[in-house]
């Protein structure tokens, strides 16, 4: 049984928590896209772990964790993450595999990311400044340096030379900043290759064997559907396919091996960075949700924009991912709110629209059409059965299921691993 777990909104839905919860029943956990723009939180017995590139399954002993070919990896940041895990008593040895094909983030990618953002006020995306976009540009432009290249001095030197010719020209003449020294970068990145050598392998035969042996594989998405390069609120997106298709292209596992696709969604909506967000609450109520939900980025510490649950996004996400189930998180945060709103459609210049618009001007003009449902006062954080939920909570969840057309498979009522419960037989076909 192989399950993709991905973000159904704009990221930070609680994917790390859900992956950690499901990892108990899995043999392998695979990250398939993104890089250290991701920040996945797992809380176990009050201890908080933040993962960026390493799959959230790493916190379970005996699980294999794979960094797939679809990621872009900053080797320095990966070494720091491994050090952080080690310091916290987490083993990262033969349980971690990094695909040889994975592209590498270099310092010029990070610098260009920051410079691009500071140069264009109007076109600012609000990136995490980790160099993600520029690294994927090189990958698609076929000039990227891959993990396997860090193990081959000749190729690394040649590729660096070729890349730096152009990058340094742009840095000097367009941005008017200091260029990079080829020899310094060569030495540094060859050094990272040496340090990471034990992890860099051909992950495709390993994953194929796991599929043939019918082992349970979890695919851990980063970011979310609305940040996907093809399906998101372009250009206010990340540079990879965070949707379910990315699980195949970013790991080398064929689509026929995927059995279920779980969309993780908050019981409300958040977003970090720029770009339209129709159900956003830019008022005191939004600030209250931010405070109650502790909505600050794991990676950058930025406050997250907060708003009501958007069923237009939910339906769209169900469609482009082929969702087979939902994992609804942060339901506990909504306790004590008298009336809850769910965005069921957009009013775009007088026209009622139920399909997510591609035109950013239309999306920016979209006024949410709300359905109001009754809230509940009860604290949900100790509940561990669906039947124990207050009646109005059940009604709210039923609305989400009805409006998205997807059944809820998992509920999360707090950040702890234990504050999670399953509503269906997740590991059964
Ligand atoms: P990810 O990027 O999708 O893995 O999500 P993040 O880790 O960036 O953000 C989710 C935040 O919500 C983290 O601080 C989690 O500890 C927290 N969290 C996850 N599920 C719940 C939940 O059900 N209730 C509450 N209160 N917090 C949660
Ligand atoms: P996880 O995996 C939320 C957002 C950034 C910015 C846009 C592009 O923790 O859910 P990038 O650095 O990728 O070029 O930034 O995407 N973004 C995220 N927002 N959660 C994430 O990851 C994100 N990763 C990127 O804020 O708007
Ligand atoms: Mg996150």
């Amino acid at each position: 049984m192989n399950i993709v777990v991905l973000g159904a909104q704009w990221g930070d839905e609680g994917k790390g928590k859900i992956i950690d919860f499901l990892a108990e029943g899995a043999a392998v956990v695979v990250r398939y896209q993104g890089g250290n723009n991701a920040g996945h939180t797992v809380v176990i017995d009050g201890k908080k772990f933040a993962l960026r590139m390493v799959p959230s399954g790493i916190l379970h002993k005996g699980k294999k964790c794979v960094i797939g070919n679809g990621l872009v990896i900053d080797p320095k940041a990966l070494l720091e993450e491994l050090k952080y895990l080690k310091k916290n008593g987490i083993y990262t040895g033969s349980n971690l595999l990094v695909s040889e094909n994975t592209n590498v983030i270099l310092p010029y990618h990070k610098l260009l990311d920051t410079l691009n953002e500071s140069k264009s006020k109007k076109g600012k995306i609000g990136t995490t400044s980790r160099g993600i976009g520029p690294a994927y540009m090189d990958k698609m432009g076929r000039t990227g340096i891959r993990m396997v290249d860090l193990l081959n001095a000749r190729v690394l030197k040649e590729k660096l030379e070729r890349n730096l010719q152009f990058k340094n020209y742009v840095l000097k003449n367009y941005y008017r900043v200091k260029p990079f020294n080829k020899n310094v970068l060569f030495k540094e990145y060859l050094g990272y290759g040496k340090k990471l050598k034990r992890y860099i392998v051909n992950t495709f035969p390993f994953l194929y064997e796991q599929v043939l042996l019918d082992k349970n594989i979890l695919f851990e998405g980063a970011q979310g559907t609305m940040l996907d390069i093809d399906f998101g609120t372009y250009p206010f997106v990340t540079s990879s396919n965070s949707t379910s298709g990315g699980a195949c292209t970013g790991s080398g596992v064929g689509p026929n091996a995927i059995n279920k696709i779980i969309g993780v969604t908050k019981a409300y909506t958040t977003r970090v960075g720029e770009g339209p967000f129709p159900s956003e609450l830019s008022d005191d109520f939004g600030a209250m949700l931010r405070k109650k939900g502790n909505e600050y980025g794991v990676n950058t510490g930025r406050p997250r924009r907060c708003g009501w649950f958007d069923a237009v996004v939910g339906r769209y996400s169900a469609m482009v991912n082929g969702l087979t189930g939902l994992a609804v998180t942060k339901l506990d945060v909504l306790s004590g709110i008298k009336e809850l709103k769910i965005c069921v459609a957009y009013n775009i210049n007088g026209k009622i629209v139920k399909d997510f618009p591609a035109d950013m001007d239309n999306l920016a003009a979209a006024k949410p059409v709300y359905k109001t449902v009754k809230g509940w006062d009860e604290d949900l954080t100790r509940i561990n059965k669906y039947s124990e939920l207050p009646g109005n909570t059940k009604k709210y969840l039923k609305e989400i299921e009805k409006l998205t057309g997807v059944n809820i498979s998992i509920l999360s009522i707090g950040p702890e691993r234990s504050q999670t419960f399953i509503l269906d037989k997740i590991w059964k076909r």
Side-chain angles (χ1 to χ4, degrees), residues 58 75-76 81 115 127 168 185 192 195 209-210 217 235 318 414-415:
I58 202 80
K76 189 175 173 204
E81 185 167 348
L115 291 169
T127 72
N168 277 344
L185 279 192
Y192 294 143
K195 286 191 179 144
E209 190 184 20
Q210 299 300 302
I217 306 175

Side-chain angles (χ1 to χ4, degrees), residues 400-414:
I400 290 181
E401 287 188 326
K402 202 171 84 193
L403 289 164
T404 58
V406 187
N407 287 339
I408 298 172
S409 304
I410 301 171
L411 275 181
S412 170
I413 36 89

Side-chain angles (χ1 to χ4, degrees), residues 92 159 189 198 208 233 256-257 262 271 333 407 421:
T92 52
K159 284 198 172 184
Y189 279 74
R198 63 183 296 201
Y208 191 48
T233 47
N256 59 338
I262 306 282
R271 170 166 209 177
V333 177
N407 287 339
F421 55 99

Side-chain angles (χ1 to χ4, degrees), residues 140-347:
M140 292 311 186
R142 297 158 294 179
T143 59
I145 293 173
R146 298 173 306 158
M147 291 306 275
V148 72
D149 302 331
L150 301 184
L151 308 178
N152 184 331
R154 185 191 60 79
V155 173
L156 179 62
K157 195 172 240 165
E158 266 176 30
K159 284 198 172 184
L160 264 177
E161 226 160 56
R162 187 171 161 212
N163 276 288
L164 280 176
Q165 258 176 25
F166 180 66
K167 303 286 190 259
N168 277 344
Y169 181 85
V170 173
L171 289 171
K172 265 197 303 203
N173 300 298
Y174 182 71
Y175 288 112
R176 311 237 170 255
V177 297
K178 215 174 122 211
F180 284 94
N181 179 301
K182 186 186 70 197
N183 295 330
V184 172
L185 279 192
F186 173 69
K187 234 177 117 191
E188 185 182 346
Y189 279 74
L190 200 64
Y192 294 143
K194 283 205 177 86
K195 286 191 179 144
L196 290 168
K197 191 173 190 292
R198 63 183 296 201
Y199 302 108
I200 305 171
V201 293
N202 181 356
T203 51
F204 308 143
F206 168 73
L207 287 172
Y208 191 48
E209 190 184 20
Q210 299 300 302
V211 171
L212 294 179
L213 292 171
D214 210 15
K215 298 278 184 191
N216 291 341
I217 306 175
L218 277 176
F219 294 85
E220 177 174 1
Q223 290 79 54
T225 303
M226 306 318 286
L227 290 171
D228 181 283
I229 186 77
D230 282 283
F231 303 108
T233 47
Y234 193 90
F236 304 100
V237 291
T238 192
S239 300
S240 64
N241 282 120
S242 39
T243 42
S244 55
C248 295
T249 55
S251 70
V253 173
N256 59 338
I258 309 290
N259 306 105
K260 290 186 180 178
I261 301 155
I262 306 282
V264 187
T265 177
K266 281 179 186 167
Y268 47 97
T269 311
T270 66
R271 170 166 209 177
V272 243
E274 306 298 319
F277 172 4
S279 68
E280 182 171 14
L281 294 159
S282 316
D283 54 6
D284 288 351
F285 194 81
M288 186 279 285
L289 266 183
R290 183 174 313 116
K291 189 155 180 254
K292 221 171 151 208
N294 191 25
E295 296 296 356
Y296 294 90
V298 181
N299 209 331
T300 56
R302 291 180 292 177
R304 295 179 185 141
R305 300 155 65 190
C306 297
W308 293 117
F309 184 83
D310 187 336
V312 181
V313 165
R315 231 176 1 252
Y316 179 72
S317 193
M319 177 172 71
V320 299
N321 288 300
L323 296 184
T324 60
L326 290 174
V328 177
T329 61
K330 298 214 149 185
L331 194 58
D332 53 301
V333 177
L334 296 183
S335 288
I337 300 170
K338 216 165 169 270
E339 282 186 331
L340 301 168
K341 288 184 185 170
I342 299 176
C343 172
V344 293
Y346 301 147
N347 181 332

